[in-house]
Amino acid sequence: MDRFTVSSIVKVMNELFPKEASFVISDDKRYIYYQPSKQIDLKIRPGDKIKPESVTYKALTVQRKIAEQKDSRVFGVPYFGISVPILDDGNPKGCVTAILPRKPLLTMPYLTIRVMDRWLPVPFENVIYLEAQNRKTFVKSTYAEGYHKYNLTELEFSLPDDIFVRCHRSYIVNIHHIIEIHPDSHSTFLLVMKDGSRVPVSQTYASHFRKLLCF
């Protein structure tokens, strides 16, 4: 993995993840970059071998995104890790892992949104998409729209990944509400949702999105 690739990933990670997250980049055998946060520091050093019990190791082994809580036996402190492998023709070449003090939890299968002077609980199946707007998360559903108190990244880690997919730095969509996928000149794809909304899929997420939807 060359320096341009690492610096590009670091830039994206800093934009996507909350400040309390540390993150690490590895090749297929060793950690090559580590950025700790004030909230959690696993004391990883570039050049260290990837620990077999870690989330990074598992993501490289199974070649898919892994999100798991780990106890203190791996790095000396408990952590919640989200690892996404970097694949080249089906072969793992590296991995990007976000490290959080704990897993953000939604205790019930719905999002409670603020709508003017009241709150509405919206079941997951009724959510069409979520959009980052001015450090808040706008939620569009089949019968209401409003704002959730968590930011988009926090919600991404909490929402079920068999329903919701990150498709853009500013968007998460409910795949059950997609009716058409179009090529687009400004972003890789443009999604047409059941309510007529149009949501972009950026180049950063295009490959993962295509793999998930098998096209």
Side-chain angles (χ1 to χ4, degrees):
M1 194 177 300
D2 59 35
R3 288 186 177 181
F4 175 76
T5 302
V6 172
S7 63
S8 299
I9 293 173
V10 170
K11 183 178 179 180
V12 172
M13 295 286 281
N14 281 322
E15 292 181 358
L16 289 180
F17 290 99
K19 292 180 180 180
E20 63 266 23
S22 301
F23 62 85
V24 62
I25 302 171
S26 74
D27 57 21
D28 60 334
K29 294 182 176 63
R30 297 179 182 273
Y31 303 111
I32 60 176
Y33 179 88
Y34 177 59
Q35 180 173 300
S37 72
K38 293 181 179 180
Q39 283 72 26
I40 185 166
D41 184 1
L42 302 186
K43 308 296 184 183
I44 293 171
R45 296 177 300 177
D48 287 349
K49 289 185 178 180
I50 298 170
K51 291 181 178 289
E53 304 87 356
S54 68
V55 178
T56 299
Y57 185 90
K58 185 171 182 179
L60 287 167
T61 302
V62 302
Q63 299 184 26
R64 62 178 176 83
K65 177 183 174 182
I66 297 294
E68 286 187 353
Q69 181 72 40
K70 291 291 184 178
D71 61 31
S72 59
R73 288 177 294 178
V74 183
F75 286 102
V77 294
Y79 75 99
F80 179 74
I82 305 97
S83 291
V84 180
I86 300 169
L87 305 177
D88 182 15
D89 292 331
N91 299 312
K93 296 297 183 182
C95 194
V96 178
T97 302
I99 300 157
L100 295 163
R102 66 194 64 82
K103 180 180 179 180
L105 292 176
L106 294 173
T107 58
M108 299 294 287
Y110 57 79
L111 294 175
T112 301
I113 61 175
R114 179 72 181 264
V115 181
M116 298 183 69
D117 59 348
R118 63 190 187 279
W119 289 266
L120 296 178
V122 180
F124 287 164
E125 62 266 25
N126 293 109
V127 176
I128 300 171
Y129 68 83
L130 301 90
E131 180 185 2
Q133 291 186 2
N134 299 320
R135 298 183 181 180
K136 296 181 180 180
T137 299
F138 172 76
V139 179
K140 180 70 178 294
S141 77
T142 55
Y143 59 86
E145 55 186 55
Y147 290 88
H148 195 278
K149 69 175 183 178
Y150 289 169
N151 65 43
L152 199 65
T153 298
E154 291 171 327
L155 288 173
E156 180 185 13
F157 297 154
S158 301
L159 292 168
D161 57 12
D162 59 336
I163 299 175
F164 294 96
V165 177
R166 186 79 173 255
C167 63
H168 189 279
R169 182 174 64 182
S170 300
Y171 289 94
I172 294 174
V173 295
N174 183 335
I175 58 175
H176 299 294
H177 285 271
I178 300 171
I179 57 171
E180 294 179 355
I181 303 171
H182 294 265
D184 184 69
S185 57
H186 300 294
S187 58
T188 305
F189 303 108
L190 189 66
L191 308 177
V192 180
M193 313 304 287
K194 289 181 179 179
D195 71 332
S197 301
R198 295 175 180 268
V199 178
V201 179
S202 68
Q203 291 183 353
T204 301
Y205 296 93
S207 178
H208 181 62
F209 186 82
R210 293 190 67 159
K211 185 176 181 180
L212 284 175
L213 272 68
C214 301
F215 72 99

